[in-house]
Amino acid sequence: MARKYSTRRGFVTATGTAATVAVTGCLGGSDGGGSDGDGGSGGSDTDENGSDTSGSTTIKYLSDRGDSQQIIDQIIAEFEETHEYTVDVTYTSKGTSTDEQLQKMRAAGNPPDIVFDTAADAYRYQRDGKAAPVTETVQDGSLPDPVNVDGESYFVPTMVEPLMGWYRNDLYEENPTTWERWESEAQRLAEEEGINGYVVQSGQTNNADTSVTQTLWQNGVNVYDGPEGDIEVTLDDENNREAAVETFEWLQSMSAYAPNGSGWEWGDAIAAIQQENAAAAMSVGGLPVLTIQANRPDLVENLSPTAFPIPDGNEQEKWWAYMEGHVVWNDGEATDGARQFVDFFSSSDKFMDFLLTAPLFQLPPTEAGLESDAYTSNEIVQQNPEVMELVRDNWDAFTTVLATGEDNAPNIVAADAYSQQMFGQAADQMLVGGRSPGETVDWLADELRGLQE
């Protein structure tokens, strides 16, 4: 029997925002603690159109991090004390991303100056001419630079959120690790314990899209190649097609020991574990335990983290890690002030407090930050060394979906495919639509090439 990690108790006893956090961004949801669209916190005086009436310059900031509002407001207050700007925050409501609100603000002629978003979205904004350079902040902070175009940086990462699975250590005798072991153990649990051993996500959701993409990476499939601006789809070429078909065959086999995950969002897969409908699910960081602890604290001690399954004999080479952070929107009215604020935010002495509103889900964007006293001294982080060990051991493998061109060049096709959840749709084509694994690979390759036109 696998040992039950006593470190899980850190999630059970945690208090404060980390215990009930409803994380967002790549997940598409937030607790909206500020305004619902026309302004919010930060102390500025605005009219009904969001225009500044106080005589000072207003920075309009659009964010889905309402759960961190208390810390964000403190950072804003400190910024306003030393800068000639006020910051007016719009938090999107729970369960929605910033995209819908962004379109509303643009249509009203009131675009934000700053958007909190993913690196993939930032690259699409840059492609469309909507992002302003933030090169100095990225370079001075020694930050990752996933959206670098012609030597200029267009995205300031504030956090890294690696994909990560969680399994029931009281049902699995050990971490199955390999495809072969996962399938045999999932079958055993279905037959002997009457519980689904795994969750196979499919459909047009971020959860399914990331999961399918990572599973392809686990089998060494290189979906793309070529330099920035001239990306080639290689999913179905002679070097990749066989491995891609094998990948979908494995997902098809695992679906026999999984609930119907078509259209499932992140919370649905977590709920399957919480309701004991599944013994394992692939998710992102510590999100499952941060969520489950609020409703099933008795279950949290029986959860252990894992990397995505990998075929026997393969090595972990690429590990999808979301990067979320700030984009300065260049058609707002306070672009220079927006640059100053995102720089201040990343260097604030409260920056780590912002990350620690969801420890082990929101990781620092740099390895130095990960090892800093401010992060490692956090109670929940200290009580969960197995998560930190997994992160440290694989830090160099973490990558964004953008870095999938030649020599890790930014890949606009991958960004667009992610925004449309093409890989999740491909899994649905097979599991719901009845395509064979080979037909699914061909369908996906055709759809990806269509994004190039």
Side-chain angles (χ1 to χ4, degrees), residues 77 172 399:
Y172 283 99
T399 187

Side-chain angles (χ1 to χ4, degrees), residues 53-70:
T53 60
S54 66
S56 62
T57 302
T58 299
I59 300 167
K60 295 184 289 293
Y61 179 22
L62 177 60
S63 175
D64 59 10
R65 296 284 153 168
D67 296 282
S68 303
Q69 182 183 356
Q70 182 178 1

Side-chain angles (χ1 to χ4, degrees), residues 143-361:
L143 296 171
D145 194 11
V147 188
N148 186 296
V149 180
D150 297 329
E152 294 283 3
S153 306
Y154 292 88
F155 177 71
V156 180
T158 62
M159 64 186 64
V160 174
E161 300 158 345
L163 299 184
M164 190 179 297
W166 292 84
Y167 68 94
R168 288 278 299 272
N169 56 44
D170 57 330
L171 297 176
Y172 283 99
E173 296 181 357
E174 61 182 2
N175 187 345
T177 307
T178 67
W179 281 8
E180 296 78 9
R181 185 67 174 163
W182 270 101
E183 184 173 352
S184 64
E185 283 293 281
Q187 181 178 2
R188 178 184 65 82
L189 291 183
E191 294 175 352
E192 298 180 6
E193 302 290 343
I195 186 172
N196 293 298
Y198 197 76
V199 173
V200 178
Q201 287 111 189
S202 66
Q204 199 166 356
T205 68
N206 288 352
N207 193 12
D209 195 76
T210 57
S211 183
V212 173
T213 301
Q214 184 65 59
T215 306
L216 287 164
W217 288 356
Q218 298 297 82
N219 202 25
V221 178
N222 291 316
V223 181
Y224 310 99
D225 201 358
E228 180 185 3
D230 192 21
I231 297 295
E232 177 185 0
V233 175
T234 56
L235 172 70
D236 59 343
D237 69 10
E238 60 181 2
N239 296 319
N240 292 290
R241 189 176 189 281
E242 181 179 353
V245 172
E246 288 176 353
T247 302
F248 281 102
E249 287 175 344
W250 183 77
L251 287 172
Q252 187 177 57
S253 297
M254 290 299 289
S255 69
Y257 316 113
N260 181 357
S262 178
W264 279 18
E265 300 286 358
W266 301 93
D268 296 311
I270 294 170
I273 295 179
Q274 178 175 296
Q275 297 164 7
E276 300 192 65
N277 186 32
M282 300 299 113
S283 189
V284 58
L287 177 62
V289 284
L290 287 171
T291 303
I292 292 172
Q293 69 164 345
N295 303 300
R296 286 291 309 275
D298 59 301
L299 187 60
V300 174
E301 190 174 12
N302 294 331
L303 297 177
S304 292
T306 179
F308 267 61
I310 199 165
D312 189 24
N314 281 23
E315 295 182 358
Q316 186 74 53
E317 294 182 357
K318 292 197 297 186
W319 188 316
W320 181 312
Y322 279 102
M323 282 191 186
E324 296 195 78
H326 292 125
V327 185
V328 174
W329 201 259
N330 68 6
D331 61 354
E333 297 180 354
T335 302
D336 288 342
R339 286 195 182 98
Q340 292 179 43
F341 178 73
V342 299
D343 183 79
F344 184 91
F345 190 103
S346 292
S347 59
S348 168
D349 60 2
K350 291 184 171 59
F351 175 73
M352 203 61 71
D353 294 334
F354 166 72
L355 292 181
L356 288 169
T357 56
L360 302 182
F361 168 69

Side-chain angles (χ1 to χ4, degrees), residues 4-51:
K4 297 182 180 180
Y5 288 102
S6 60
T7 55
R8 296 267 63 80
R9 295 192 185 95
F11 289 106
V12 179
T13 60
T15 59
T17 56
T20 57
V21 66
V23 289
T24 58
C26 61
L27 314 183
S30 175
D31 279 328
S35 84
D36 61 1
D38 295 319
S41 63
S44 66
D45 297 319
T46 59
D47 62 22
E48 62 182 6
N49 297 315
S51 299

